[in-house]
Amino acid sequence: MENLKLIKVESPEQGAEHVFRIMKEELDNGRLDVLGLATGSTMIPVYKKWTESDLDFTQVTAFNLDEYVGLEASNPNSYDYFMKEHLFSKKKFKETHIPNGMATNLDEECAAYEALLQANPLDIQLLGVGENGHIAFNEPGTPADSVTHPVELTESTLGVNGQYFDNNEEIPKTALTMGIASIMRAEKILILAFGEKKRAALKTLLEGNITLECSITQLLHHQDVTVITDLEL
Ligand code: GLP
Protein backbone atom coordinates (compact mmCIF):
# COMPACT_ATOMS: atom_id res chain seq x y z
CA MET A 1 0.00 0.00 0.00
CA GLU A 2 2.87 2.35 -0.78
CA ASN A 3 0.45 4.57 -2.72
CA LEU A 4 -1.47 5.26 0.52
CA LYS A 5 -0.07 7.72 3.02
CA LEU A 6 -1.48 7.66 6.55
CA ILE A 7 -1.24 10.79 8.69
CA LYS A 8 -2.20 10.37 12.35
CA VAL A 9 -3.33 13.57 14.06
CA GLU A 10 -4.59 14.35 17.56
CA SER A 11 -7.77 16.19 16.57
CA PRO A 12 -9.89 17.28 13.59
CA GLU A 13 -8.34 20.75 13.98
CA GLN A 14 -4.87 19.30 13.59
CA GLY A 15 -6.14 17.38 10.57
CA ALA A 16 -7.38 20.67 9.14
CA GLU A 17 -3.88 22.13 9.63
CA HIS A 18 -2.46 19.33 7.51
CA VAL A 19 -4.97 19.88 4.75
CA PHE A 20 -4.22 23.59 4.90
CA ARG A 21 -0.49 23.01 4.43
CA ILE A 22 -1.10 20.73 1.45
CA MET A 23 -3.46 23.31 -0.13
CA LYS A 24 -1.00 26.11 0.42
CA GLU A 25 1.85 24.18 -1.14
CA GLU A 26 -0.22 23.16 -4.17
CA LEU A 27 -1.53 26.72 -4.66
CA ASP A 28 1.92 28.27 -4.22
CA ASN A 29 3.35 25.86 -6.78
CA GLY A 30 0.59 26.60 -9.27
CA ARG A 31 -0.62 23.00 -9.19
CA LEU A 32 -4.19 23.63 -8.11
CA ASP A 33 -6.63 24.66 -10.81
CA VAL A 34 -9.52 22.30 -10.11
CA LEU A 35 -10.50 21.20 -6.62
CA GLY A 36 -13.05 18.60 -5.60
CA LEU A 37 -14.88 19.49 -2.39
CA ALA A 38 -16.93 17.53 0.11
CA THR A 39 -19.60 18.31 2.69
CA GLY A 40 -20.23 16.86 6.14
CA SER A 41 -19.17 17.74 9.66
CA THR A 42 -15.66 16.45 8.96
CA MET A 43 -15.08 19.34 6.56
CA ILE A 44 -16.18 22.14 8.91
CA PRO A 45 -12.76 22.66 10.60
CA VAL A 46 -11.07 22.35 7.21
CA TYR A 47 -13.13 25.16 5.66
CA LYS A 48 -12.87 27.24 8.85
CA LYS A 49 -9.10 27.13 8.57
CA TRP A 50 -9.23 28.16 4.90
CA THR A 51 -11.62 31.04 5.48
CA GLU A 52 -9.47 32.38 8.33
CA SER A 53 -6.37 32.23 6.13
CA ASP A 54 -5.10 34.18 3.13
CA LEU A 55 -5.39 31.18 0.78
CA ASP A 56 -6.38 32.53 -2.62
CA PHE A 57 -8.87 30.41 -4.57
CA THR A 58 -9.79 33.06 -7.12
CA GLN A 59 -8.14 31.02 -9.89
CA VAL A 60 -9.59 27.71 -8.70
CA THR A 61 -12.67 25.95 -10.07
CA ALA A 62 -14.48 23.84 -7.46
CA PHE A 63 -16.66 20.78 -7.94
CA ASN A 64 -18.69 19.31 -5.11
CA LEU A 65 -19.16 15.58 -4.81
CA ASP A 66 -22.88 15.32 -4.31
CA GLU A 67 -26.28 16.84 -3.50
CA TYR A 68 -29.66 15.67 -2.23
CA VAL A 69 -32.50 15.47 -4.71
CA GLY A 70 -35.42 17.80 -4.08
CA LEU A 71 -33.94 20.30 -1.64
CA GLU A 72 -33.89 23.96 -2.69
CA ALA A 73 -30.54 25.75 -2.36
CA SER A 74 -32.19 27.81 0.40
CA ASN A 75 -32.83 24.67 2.47
CA PRO A 76 -30.22 24.52 5.27
CA ASN A 77 -29.86 20.76 4.72
CA SER A 78 -28.87 21.11 1.09
CA TYR A 79 -25.19 20.78 0.30
CA ASP A 80 -25.44 23.98 -1.71
CA TYR A 81 -26.43 25.79 1.50
CA PHE A 82 -23.65 24.05 3.47
CA MET A 83 -20.99 25.15 0.98
CA LYS A 84 -22.21 28.75 0.95
CA GLU A 85 -22.36 28.87 4.73
CA HIS A 86 -18.95 27.33 5.40
CA LEU A 87 -16.88 28.37 2.41
CA PHE A 88 -18.25 30.09 -0.67
CA SER A 89 -19.72 33.11 1.12
CA LYS A 90 -16.30 33.76 2.66
CA LYS A 91 -13.82 32.74 -0.04
CA LYS A 92 -14.08 33.67 -3.68
CA PHE A 93 -13.53 30.91 -6.25
CA LYS A 94 -13.20 31.23 -10.01
CA GLU A 95 -16.23 28.95 -10.43
CA THR A 96 -18.14 26.61 -8.15
CA HIS A 97 -20.22 23.62 -9.24
CA ILE A 98 -22.62 21.41 -7.30
CA PRO A 99 -24.95 18.85 -8.91
CA ASN A 100 -28.43 20.34 -9.19
CA GLY A 101 -30.76 18.13 -7.18
CA MET A 102 -33.73 20.25 -8.34
CA ALA A 103 -33.18 19.46 -12.03
CA THR A 104 -36.26 18.14 -13.80
CA ASN A 105 -34.22 15.50 -15.62
CA LEU A 106 -31.76 14.01 -13.16
CA ASP A 107 -30.03 11.74 -15.66
CA GLU A 108 -29.35 14.68 -17.96
CA GLU A 109 -28.11 16.74 -15.03
CA CYS A 110 -25.67 13.96 -14.06
CA ALA A 111 -24.43 13.54 -17.64
CA ALA A 112 -23.84 17.30 -17.93
CA TYR A 113 -22.02 17.37 -14.58
CA GLU A 114 -19.83 14.45 -15.58
CA ALA A 115 -18.98 16.10 -18.92
CA LEU A 116 -17.95 19.27 -17.09
CA LEU A 117 -15.79 17.24 -14.73
CA GLN A 118 -14.11 15.43 -17.58
CA ALA A 119 -13.33 18.76 -19.22
CA ASN A 120 -11.83 20.05 -15.96
CA PRO A 121 -9.69 17.28 -14.48
CA LEU A 122 -9.52 17.36 -10.70
CA ASP A 123 -6.12 18.16 -9.23
CA ILE A 124 -7.17 17.33 -5.68
CA GLN A 125 -10.31 15.66 -4.32
CA LEU A 126 -11.21 16.07 -0.66
CA LEU A 127 -13.20 13.19 0.76
CA GLY A 128 -14.94 12.18 3.94
CA VAL A 129 -16.30 8.70 4.50
CA GLY A 130 -19.67 7.37 5.57
CA GLU A 131 -19.96 4.86 8.40
CA ASN A 132 -20.72 2.14 5.83
CA GLY A 133 -17.62 3.06 3.86
CA HIS A 134 -19.36 5.22 1.25
CA ILE A 135 -17.41 7.97 -0.47
CA ALA A 136 -19.55 10.85 -1.74
CA PHE A 137 -22.88 8.97 -1.95
CA ASN A 138 -21.43 5.82 -3.52
CA GLU A 139 -23.20 3.29 -1.36
CA PRO A 140 -22.06 -0.34 -0.93
CA GLY A 141 -22.22 -2.20 -4.23
CA THR A 142 -21.63 0.84 -6.47
CA PRO A 143 -19.63 -0.28 -9.53
CA ALA A 144 -16.01 0.88 -9.78
CA ASP A 145 -16.64 2.33 -13.25
CA SER A 146 -19.59 4.49 -12.10
CA VAL A 147 -19.66 8.15 -13.12
CA THR A 148 -21.98 10.91 -11.84
CA HIS A 149 -25.39 9.32 -11.22
CA PRO A 150 -28.61 9.46 -9.20
CA VAL A 151 -28.56 7.12 -6.19
CA GLU A 152 -31.03 5.66 -3.70
CA LEU A 153 -29.57 6.18 -0.23
CA THR A 154 -29.27 3.17 2.07
CA GLU A 155 -31.07 2.84 5.41
CA SER A 156 -27.71 3.23 7.15
CA THR A 157 -27.02 6.56 5.45
CA LEU A 158 -30.58 7.79 5.99
CA GLY A 159 -30.20 6.96 9.68
CA VAL A 160 -26.85 8.70 10.10
CA ASN A 161 -27.62 11.77 7.97
CA GLY A 162 -31.17 12.03 9.31
CA GLN A 163 -29.87 13.50 12.57
CA TYR A 164 -29.41 16.85 10.82
CA PHE A 165 -33.02 17.05 9.67
CA ASP A 166 -35.98 18.30 11.73
CA ASN A 167 -38.53 15.64 12.64
CA ASN A 168 -41.14 17.24 10.47
CA GLU A 169 -38.90 17.25 7.44
CA GLU A 170 -38.13 14.03 5.62
CA ILE A 171 -34.56 13.36 4.63
CA PRO A 172 -34.43 12.90 0.85
CA LYS A 173 -34.02 9.27 -0.14
CA THR A 174 -32.31 10.13 -3.40
CA ALA A 175 -29.16 12.05 -4.19
CA LEU A 176 -26.89 12.87 -7.12
CA THR A 177 -23.28 11.87 -6.71
CA MET A 178 -20.00 11.74 -8.54
CA GLY A 179 -19.28 8.09 -9.24
CA ILE A 180 -16.29 6.11 -8.09
CA ALA A 181 -14.60 6.53 -11.49
CA SER A 182 -15.22 10.31 -11.37
CA ILE A 183 -13.44 10.48 -8.01
CA MET A 184 -10.63 8.15 -9.04
CA ARG A 185 -9.65 10.42 -11.94
CA ALA A 186 -8.42 13.05 -9.45
CA GLU A 187 -4.65 13.48 -9.44
CA LYS A 188 -4.49 13.44 -5.65
CA ILE A 189 -7.04 12.31 -3.04
CA LEU A 190 -7.18 13.52 0.55
CA ILE A 191 -9.49 11.55 2.79
CA LEU A 192 -10.38 12.66 6.29
CA ALA A 193 -11.95 10.47 8.97
CA PHE A 194 -12.29 11.43 12.62
CA GLY A 195 -13.85 9.60 15.54
CA GLU A 196 -14.72 6.02 16.45
CA LYS A 197 -17.67 5.85 14.05
CA LYS A 198 -15.22 5.86 11.15
CA ARG A 199 -12.99 3.10 12.53
CA ALA A 200 -14.68 0.20 10.73
CA ALA A 201 -14.44 1.89 7.32
CA LEU A 202 -10.77 2.80 7.79
CA LYS A 203 -9.91 -0.66 9.10
CA THR A 204 -11.46 -2.23 6.01
CA LEU A 205 -9.43 0.16 3.85
CA LEU A 206 -6.18 -0.67 5.59
CA GLU A 207 -6.81 -4.42 5.43
CA GLY A 208 -6.10 -3.91 1.76
CA ASN A 209 -8.87 -5.98 0.15
CA ILE A 210 -10.69 -4.13 -2.60
CA THR A 211 -14.41 -4.86 -2.40
CA LEU A 212 -17.47 -3.19 -3.88
CA GLU A 213 -19.21 -3.69 -0.53
CA CYS A 214 -17.02 -0.97 0.97
CA SER A 215 -16.58 1.83 -1.57
CA ILE A 216 -13.63 3.44 0.20
CA THR A 217 -11.51 0.37 -0.63
CA GLN A 218 -11.65 1.33 -4.32
CA LEU A 219 -9.14 4.04 -3.40
CA LEU A 220 -6.54 1.29 -3.09
CA HIS A 221 -6.41 1.37 -6.90
CA HIS A 222 -5.37 5.05 -6.81
CA GLN A 223 -1.77 6.23 -7.03
CA ASP A 224 -1.85 9.12 -4.55
CA VAL A 225 -4.12 8.86 -1.51
CA THR A 226 -3.52 10.55 1.84
CA VAL A 227 -5.62 9.45 4.80
CA ILE A 228 -5.78 11.92 7.70
CA THR A 229 -7.26 10.50 10.88
CA ASP A 230 -7.20 10.83 14.66
CA LEU A 231 -7.70 7.07 15.03
CA GLU A 232 -4.94 4.75 16.14
CA LEU A 233 -5.31 1.95 13.59
C1 GLP B 1 -22.47 12.27 3.58
C2 GLP B 1 -21.70 12.77 2.37
C3 GLP B 1 -20.30 12.21 2.34
C4 GLP B 1 -19.63 12.41 3.67
C5 GLP B 1 -20.40 11.70 4.75
C6 GLP B 1 -19.76 11.82 6.14
O1 GLP B 1 -23.00 11.02 3.40
N1 GLP B 1 -22.38 12.45 1.15
O2 GLP B 1 -19.59 12.86 1.30
O3 GLP B 1 -18.32 11.90 3.61
O4 GLP B 1 -21.69 12.27 4.79
O5 GLP B 1 -20.20 12.94 6.80
P1 GLP B 1 -19.59 13.47 8.16
O6 GLP B 1 -18.34 14.22 7.78
O7 GLP B 1 -20.63 14.40 8.71
O8 GLP B 1 -19.29 12.31 9.01
Side-chain angles (χ1 to χ4, degrees):
M1 269 187 266
E2 61 286 346
N3 52 342
L4 195 143
K5 197 161 133 203
L6 188 64
I7 298 180
K8 162 79 172 70
V9 293
E10 294 307 319
S11 63
E13 287 68 30
Q14 216 182 81
E17 293 280 344
H18 263 280
V19 176
F20 172 78
R21 281 200 289 278
I22 295 168
M23 283 306 139
K24 186 161 174 43
E25 196 183 323
E26 299 291 314
L27 281 167
D28 288 351
N29 292 328
R31 285 194 298 250
L32 184 53
D33 298 316
V34 187
L35 176 59
L37 296 172
T39 50
S41 55
T42 307
M43 298 301 150
I44 294 177
V46 172
Y47 298 152
K48 182 164 188 286
K49 179 80 194 156
W50 294 3
T51 57
E52 290 169 357
S53 76
D54 60 359
L55 286 186
D56 180 0
F57 292 106
T58 54
Q59 300 308 312
V60 176
T61 297
F63 284 91
N64 265 80
L65 287 168
D66 47 14
E67 177 61 284
Y68 288 114
V69 166
L71 298 189
E72 304 270 3
S74 58
N75 186 313
N77 288 307
S78 74
Y79 287 168
D80 192 310
Y81 189 100
F82 177 99
M83 291 311 298
K84 284 199 188 96
E85 181 182 9
H86 294 286
L87 187 59
F88 298 152
S89 63
K90 300 172 188 162
K91 275 283 174 194
K92 197 171 156 30
F93 280 73
K94 184 174 167 193
E95 285 173 31
T96 60
H97 301 278
I98 301 183
N100 177 11
M102 294 298 290
T104 37
N105 186 325
L106 298 177
D107 290 323
E108 272 177 18
E109 168 63 17
C110 288
Y113 200 77
E114 185 66 25
L116 208 53
L117 268 173
Q118 296 200 10
N120 294 273
L122 294 162
D123 295 303
I124 300 183
Q125 177 65 58
L126 265 187
L127 284 182
V129 60
E131 289 177 27
N132 64 3
H134 70 227
I135 49 174
F137 269 135
N138 292 290
E139 297 281 33
T142 307
D145 62 358
S146 53
V147 294
T148 307
H149 63 288
V151 61
E152 296 299 319
L153 302 176
T154 61
E155 285 303 321
S156 151
T157 299
L158 292 172
V160 174
N161 293 13
Q163 62 184 308
Y164 301 110
F165 287 75
D166 291 341
N167 293 338
N168 53 7
E169 192 196 8
E170 278 246 341
I171 171 173
K173 294 186 173 50
T174 319
L176 305 183
T177 184
M178 277 193 208
I180 290 175
S182 331
I183 293 169
M184 293 287 283
R185 281 197 309 267
E187 197 69 35
K188 189 181 188 64
I189 294 179
L190 300 180
I191 178 149
L192 280 71
F194 304 119
E196 283 303 320
K197 289 182 172 167
K198 305 294 170 78
R199 185 179 291 280
L202 283 197
K203 277 199 83 161
T204 311
L205 172 69
L206 296 180
E207 276 163 13
N209 302 318
I210 301 174
T211 154
L212 288 186
E213 284 320 300
C214 185
S215 297
I216 192 178
T217 64
Q218 295 299 322
L219 299 180
L220 293 166
H221 283 302
H222 196 277
Q223 288 316 302
D224 185 356
V225 179
T226 302
V227 181
I228 302 177
T229 182
D230 61 349
L231 292 168
E232 201 75 65
L233 292 155

